[in-house]
Amino acid sequence: MRIIDSHTEGEPTRVVIEGGPDLGRGSMAERRERFVREFDQVRSFIVNEPRGHDAIVGALLCEPVNPECAAGVIFFNNVGVIGMCGHGTMGLAVTLMHLGRIGPGQHRLETPVGEVSFELRDANEVDIQNIPSYRFRSNMSIDVAGLGQVTGDIAWGGNWFFLCQDSPCPLNLKHLSQLTASAQAIADALWAQGIRGEDGGRIDHIEFFGEALSKDAHSRNFVLCPGGAYDRSPCGTGTSAKQACLAADGKLAPDQWWVQESVIGSRFEAQYRWADPQLAAGQMIPRVIPRIRGRAYVVADSRLISVPADPFANGIRALDP
């Protein structure tokens, strides 16, 4: 299986370009379901140890249904599939350029949750226009073991997020263990208390915020992804969810650039426009169309090998006994 590895602001993406499973010719959502149902061992083979690690996001390159799209893609991680991935879209963009399949300019990508537009500005800088994002619930308080009452917003940016108002500790690499444990406790509490996204989906991304260390950034964040790994980038779907919350609170105007810094100091620049300006002033939940800018770099072009006698041929699976 041929893969190309990249990182987007520190967060790894592994794109499968040859040797992936045949998922048929259905929609990306239908192909994702077949991938889950019939090829979960392949997912584990690609991203889990000993070939990968918990932070890698996989991207299975597919033929798009819409021929006007540059590609179709199914994103996944160490424990399952994910709907959309902002940093992964940037990584896929520079990978497609590395392969000579696209050049600088505007392109479209099919994902299981809808089409995403991106602009390849040069060999490494990418703007993505994400799917409509919105805040579903604001100022929700839940009781969390070891943390007490935690308050935050539930928002959609391509995945479901709980955006906490306060962080349990400083947002730096010295506190990764505490940040990870706290975020996991919040995710577990949300699930145990039956708190879900609007579509009934699991709220599987937890986001803490604090003051940025860089003078020209507006916020610093820590994002825990499903599977227990933290996002090294500022998280594209998480930045989209944050934009939706800022817009709903009237704290950020449309087309105003806003800089989100990650826990490792990398950054995304972001702005938004209203999906429907009339709804933004009405009673319905307003949606925003986020635009996220970041940098991605190809770091490896290689092949994954499976040997039948290998006891870990399909990876070390987190959900196995």
PDB file of all heavy atoms in Angstrom, residues 105-124:
ATOM      1  N   GLY A 105      -4.449  27.143  -6.957  1.00  0.00           N
ATOM      2  CA  GLY A 105      -5.761  27.602  -7.402  1.00  0.00           C
ATOM      3  C   GLY A 105      -6.874  27.003  -6.570  1.00  0.00           C
ATOM      4  O   GLY A 105      -6.638  26.379  -5.526  1.00  0.00           O
ATOM      5  N   GLN A 106      -8.108  27.186  -7.039  1.00  0.00           N
ATOM      6  CA  GLN A 106      -9.300  26.735  -6.342  1.00  0.00           C
ATOM      7  C   GLN A 106      -9.652  25.303  -6.717  1.00  0.00           C
ATOM      8  O   GLN A 106      -9.596  24.934  -7.899  1.00  0.00           O
ATOM      9  CB  GLN A 106     -10.477  27.649  -6.687  1.00  0.00           C
ATOM     10  CG  GLN A 106     -10.305  29.093  -6.240  1.00  0.00           C
ATOM     11  CD  GLN A 106     -10.545  29.269  -4.751  1.00  0.00           C
ATOM     12  OE1 GLN A 106     -11.087  28.393  -4.071  1.00  0.00           O
ATOM     13  NE2 GLN A 106     -10.138  30.427  -4.229  1.00  0.00           N
ATOM     14  N   HIS A 107     -10.014  24.507  -5.714  1.00  0.00           N
ATOM     15  CA  HIS A 107     -10.372  23.104  -5.932  1.00  0.00           C
ATOM     16  C   HIS A 107     -11.501  22.716  -4.979  1.00  0.00           C
ATOM     17  O   HIS A 107     -11.752  23.405  -3.987  1.00  0.00           O
ATOM     18  CB  HIS A 107      -9.164  22.193  -5.700  1.00  0.00           C
ATOM     19  CG  HIS A 107      -7.974  22.543  -6.535  1.00  0.00           C
ATOM     20  ND1 HIS A 107      -7.833  22.142  -7.842  1.00  0.00           N
ATOM     21  CD2 HIS A 107      -6.873  23.297  -6.239  1.00  0.00           C
ATOM     22  CE1 HIS A 107      -6.695  22.619  -8.324  1.00  0.00           C
ATOM     23  NE2 HIS A 107      -6.091  23.315  -7.370  1.00  0.00           N
ATOM     24  N   ARG A 108     -12.134  21.585  -5.278  1.00  0.00           N
ATOM     25  CA  ARG A 108     -13.195  21.063  -4.422  1.00  0.00           C
ATOM     26  C   ARG A 108     -12.901  19.620  -4.055  1.00  0.00           C
ATOM     27  O   ARG A 108     -12.303  18.868  -4.829  1.00  0.00           O
ATOM     28  CB  ARG A 108     -14.550  21.189  -5.115  1.00  0.00           C
ATOM     29  CG  ARG A 108     -15.030  22.625  -5.229  1.00  0.00           C
ATOM     30  CD  ARG A 108     -16.018  22.811  -6.354  1.00  0.00           C
ATOM     31  NE  ARG A 108     -17.247  22.047  -6.146  1.00  0.00           N
ATOM     32  CZ  ARG A 108     -18.201  21.940  -7.073  1.00  0.00           C
ATOM     33  NH1 ARG A 108     -18.030  22.509  -8.250  1.00  0.00           N
ATOM     34  NH2 ARG A 108     -19.290  21.272  -6.815  1.00  0.00           N
ATOM     35  N   LEU A 109     -13.384  19.235  -2.860  1.00  0.00           N
ATOM     36  CA  LEU A 109     -13.126  17.908  -2.306  1.00  0.00           C
ATOM     37  C   LEU A 109     -14.434  17.331  -1.776  1.00  0.00           C
ATOM     38  O   LEU A 109     -15.185  18.019  -1.091  1.00  0.00           O
ATOM     39  CB  LEU A 109     -12.108  18.020  -1.162  1.00  0.00           C
ATOM     40  CG  LEU A 109     -11.709  16.746  -0.426  1.00  0.00           C
ATOM     41  CD1 LEU A 109     -10.890  15.844  -1.348  1.00  0.00           C
ATOM     42  CD2 LEU A 109     -10.895  17.096   0.823  1.00  0.00           C
ATOM     43  N   GLU A 110     -14.692  16.069  -2.099  1.00  0.00           N
ATOM     44  CA  GLU A 110     -15.879  15.389  -1.574  1.00  0.00           C
ATOM     45  C   GLU A 110     -15.536  14.672  -0.278  1.00  0.00           C
ATOM     46  O   GLU A 110     -14.575  13.892  -0.229  1.00  0.00           O
ATOM     47  CB  GLU A 110     -16.399  14.357  -2.587  1.00  0.00           C
ATOM     48  CG  GLU A 110     -17.255  14.943  -3.679  1.00  0.00           C
ATOM     49  CD  GLU A 110     -17.874  13.869  -4.569  1.00  0.00           C
ATOM     50  OE1 GLU A 110     -17.559  12.679  -4.377  1.00  0.00           O
ATOM     51  OE2 GLU A 110     -18.643  14.230  -5.459  1.00  0.00           O
ATOM     52  N   THR A 111     -16.317  14.908   0.766  1.00  0.00           N
ATOM     53  CA  THR A 111     -16.175  14.207   2.038  1.00  0.00           C
ATOM     54  C   THR A 111     -17.516  13.566   2.394  1.00  0.00           C
ATOM     55  O   THR A 111     -18.543  13.916   1.796  1.00  0.00           O
ATOM     56  CB  THR A 111     -15.752  15.161   3.175  1.00  0.00           C
ATOM     57  OG1 THR A 111     -16.909  15.872   3.662  1.00  0.00           O
ATOM     58  CG2 THR A 111     -14.689  16.153   2.705  1.00  0.00           C
ATOM     59  N   PRO A 112     -17.551  12.675   3.364  1.00  0.00           N
ATOM     60  CA  PRO A 112     -18.830  12.068   3.752  1.00  0.00           C
ATOM     61  C   PRO A 112     -19.845  13.053   4.313  1.00  0.00           C
ATOM     62  O   PRO A 112     -21.043  12.744   4.355  1.00  0.00           O
ATOM     63  CB  PRO A 112     -18.407  11.049   4.824  1.00  0.00           C
ATOM     64  CG  PRO A 112     -17.013  10.689   4.473  1.00  0.00           C
ATOM     65  CD  PRO A 112     -16.408  11.980   3.986  1.00  0.00           C
ATOM     66  N   VAL A 113     -19.408  14.253   4.751  1.00  0.00           N
ATOM     67  CA  VAL A 113     -20.357  15.220   5.297  1.00  0.00           C
ATOM     68  C   VAL A 113     -20.611  16.378   4.340  1.00  0.00           C
ATOM     69  O   VAL A 113     -21.257  17.363   4.707  1.00  0.00           O
ATOM     70  CB  VAL A 113     -19.882  15.752   6.674  1.00  0.00           C
ATOM     71  CG1 VAL A 113     -19.848  14.628   7.689  1.00  0.00           C
ATOM     72  CG2 VAL A 113     -18.517  16.429   6.573  1.00  0.00           C
ATOM     73  N   GLY A 114     -20.138  16.275   3.109  1.00  0.00           N
ATOM     74  CA  GLY A 114     -20.404  17.306   2.118  1.00  0.00           C
ATOM     75  C   GLY A 114     -19.144  17.746   1.396  1.00  0.00           C
ATOM     76  O   GLY A 114     -18.026  17.327   1.724  1.00  0.00           O
ATOM     77  N   GLU A 115     -19.322  18.597   0.389  1.00  0.00           N
ATOM     78  CA  GLU A 115     -18.195  19.103  -0.376  1.00  0.00           C
ATOM     79  C   GLU A 115     -17.487  20.237   0.364  1.00  0.00           C
ATOM     80  O   GLU A 115     -18.130  21.059   1.012  1.00  0.00           O
ATOM     81  CB  GLU A 115     -18.657  19.613  -1.749  1.00  0.00           C
ATOM     82  CG  GLU A 115     -19.010  18.498  -2.706  1.00  0.00           C
ATOM     83  CD  GLU A 115     -19.229  19.008  -4.126  1.00  0.00           C
ATOM     84  OE1 GLU A 115     -18.944  20.200  -4.385  1.00  0.00           O
ATOM     85  OE2 GLU A 115     -19.677  18.218  -4.974  1.00  0.00           O
ATOM     86  N   VAL A 116     -16.179  20.244   0.276  1.00  0.00           N
ATOM     87  CA  VAL A 116     -15.339  21.259   0.889  1.00  0.00           C
ATOM     88  C   VAL A 116     -14.511  21.901  -0.223  1.00  0.00           C
ATOM     89  O   VAL A 116     -13.970  21.197  -1.087  1.00  0.00           O
ATOM     90  CB  VAL A 116     -14.410  20.639   1.956  1.00  0.00           C
ATOM     91  CG1 VAL A 116     -13.438  21.667   2.499  1.00  0.00           C
ATOM     92  CG2 VAL A 116     -15.237  20.022   3.082  1.00  0.00           C
ATOM     93  N   SER A 117     -14.431  23.222  -0.216  1.00  0.00           N
ATOM     94  CA  SER A 117     -13.594  23.930  -1.181  1.00  0.00           C
ATOM     95  C   SER A 117     -12.253  24.266  -0.534  1.00  0.00           C
ATOM     96  O   SER A 117     -12.180  24.503   0.671  1.00  0.00           O
ATOM     97  CB  SER A 117     -14.270  25.226  -1.636  1.00  0.00           C
ATOM     98  OG  SER A 117     -15.495  24.957  -2.273  1.00  0.00           O
ATOM     99  N   PHE A 118     -11.204  24.256  -1.333  1.00  0.00           N
ATOM    100  CA  PHE A 118      -9.916  24.709  -0.826  1.00  0.00           C
ATOM    101  C   PHE A 118      -9.154  25.438  -1.911  1.00  0.00           C
ATOM    102  O   PHE A 118      -9.349  25.206  -3.105  1.00  0.00           O
ATOM    103  CB  PHE A 118      -9.082  23.548  -0.250  1.00  0.00           C
ATOM    104  CG  PHE A 118      -8.609  22.528  -1.255  1.00  0.00           C
ATOM    105  CD1 PHE A 118      -7.397  22.683  -1.921  1.00  0.00           C
ATOM    106  CD2 PHE A 118      -9.362  21.389  -1.503  1.00  0.00           C
ATOM    107  CE1 PHE A 118      -6.954  21.741  -2.830  1.00  0.00           C
ATOM    108  CE2 PHE A 118      -8.937  20.439  -2.413  1.00  0.00           C
ATOM    109  CZ  PHE A 118      -7.723  20.601  -3.081  1.00  0.00           C
ATOM    110  N   GLU A 119      -8.301  26.352  -1.469  1.00  0.00           N
ATOM    111  CA  GLU A 119      -7.419  27.076  -2.377  1.00  0.00           C
ATOM    112  C   GLU A 119      -5.983  26.718  -2.034  1.00  0.00           C
ATOM    113  O   GLU A 119      -5.530  26.958  -0.907  1.00  0.00           O
ATOM    114  CB  GLU A 119      -7.610  28.589  -2.256  1.00  0.00           C
ATOM    115  CG  GLU A 119      -6.676  29.383  -3.171  1.00  0.00           C
ATOM    116  CD  GLU A 119      -6.751  30.882  -2.962  1.00  0.00           C
ATOM    117  OE1 GLU A 119      -7.534  31.327  -2.097  1.00  0.00           O
ATOM    118  OE2 GLU A 119      -6.009  31.617  -3.654  1.00  0.00           O
ATOM    119  N   LEU A 120      -5.294  26.136  -2.977  1.00  0.00           N
ATOM    120  CA  LEU A 120      -3.872  25.869  -2.813  1.00  0.00           C
ATOM    121  C   LEU A 120      -3.139  27.139  -3.221  1.00  0.00           C
ATOM    122  O   LEU A 120      -3.053  27.482  -4.401  1.00  0.00           O
ATOM    123  CB  LEU A 120      -3.469  24.686  -3.690  1.00  0.00           C
ATOM    124  CG  LEU A 120      -2.040  24.171  -3.545  1.00  0.00           C
ATOM    125  CD1 LEU A 120      -1.777  23.664  -2.141  1.00  0.00           C
ATOM    126  CD2 LEU A 120      -1.776  23.062  -4.565  1.00  0.00           C
ATOM    127  N   ARG A 121      -2.647  27.877  -2.228  1.00  0.00           N
ATOM    128  CA  ARG A 121      -2.041  29.187  -2.486  1.00  0.00           C
ATOM    129  C   ARG A 121      -0.620  29.045  -3.036  1.00  0.00           C
ATOM    130  O   ARG A 121      -0.174  29.854  -3.840  1.00  0.00           O
ATOM    131  CB  ARG A 121      -2.057  30.014  -1.203  1.00  0.00           C
ATOM    132  CG  ARG A 121      -3.470  30.341  -0.730  1.00  0.00           C
ATOM    133  CD  ARG A 121      -3.485  30.957   0.662  1.00  0.00           C
ATOM    134  NE  ARG A 121      -2.723  32.192   0.725  1.00  0.00           N
ATOM    135  CZ  ARG A 121      -3.208  33.391   0.404  1.00  0.00           C
ATOM    136  NH1 ARG A 121      -4.458  33.518  -0.011  1.00  0.00           N
ATOM    137  NH2 ARG A 121      -2.454  34.469   0.495  1.00  0.00           N
ATOM    138  N   ASP A 122       0.101  28.037  -2.544  1.00  0.00           N
ATOM    139  CA  ASP A 122       1.419  27.689  -3.077  1.00  0.00           C
ATOM    140  C   ASP A 122       1.689  26.251  -2.668  1.00  0.00           C
ATOM    141  O   ASP A 122       0.761  25.524  -2.307  1.00  0.00           O
ATOM    142  CB  ASP A 122       2.505  28.662  -2.592  1.00  0.00           C
ATOM    143  CG  ASP A 122       2.632  28.737  -1.073  1.00  0.00           C
ATOM    144  OD1 ASP A 122       2.384  27.711  -0.389  1.00  0.00           O
ATOM    145  OD2 ASP A 122       2.955  29.812  -0.548  1.00  0.00           O
ATOM    146  N   ALA A 123       2.927  25.814  -2.703  1.00  0.00           N
ATOM    147  CA  ALA A 123       3.227  24.404  -2.429  1.00  0.00           C
ATOM    148  C   ALA A 123       2.877  23.984  -1.015  1.00  0.00           C
ATOM    149  O   ALA A 123       2.713  22.783  -0.749  1.00  0.00           O
ATOM    150  CB  ALA A 123       4.710  24.138  -2.686  1.00  0.00           C
ATOM    151  N   ASN A 124       2.738  24.935  -0.095  1.00  0.00           N
ATOM    152  CA  ASN A 124       2.513  24.576   1.297  1.00  0.00           C
ATOM    153  C   ASN A 124       1.346  25.287   1.977  1.00  0.00           C
ATOM    154  O   ASN A 124       0.817  24.771   2.969  1.00  0.00           O
ATOM    155  CB  ASN A 124       3.783  24.835   2.128  1.00  0.00           C
ATOM    156  CG  ASN A 124       4.965  24.050   1.624  1.00  0.00           C
ATOM    157  OD1 ASN A 124       5.916  24.606   1.076  1.00  0.00           O
ATOM    158  ND2 ASN A 124       4.917  22.734   1.767  1.00  0.00           N
TER     159      ASN A 124
END
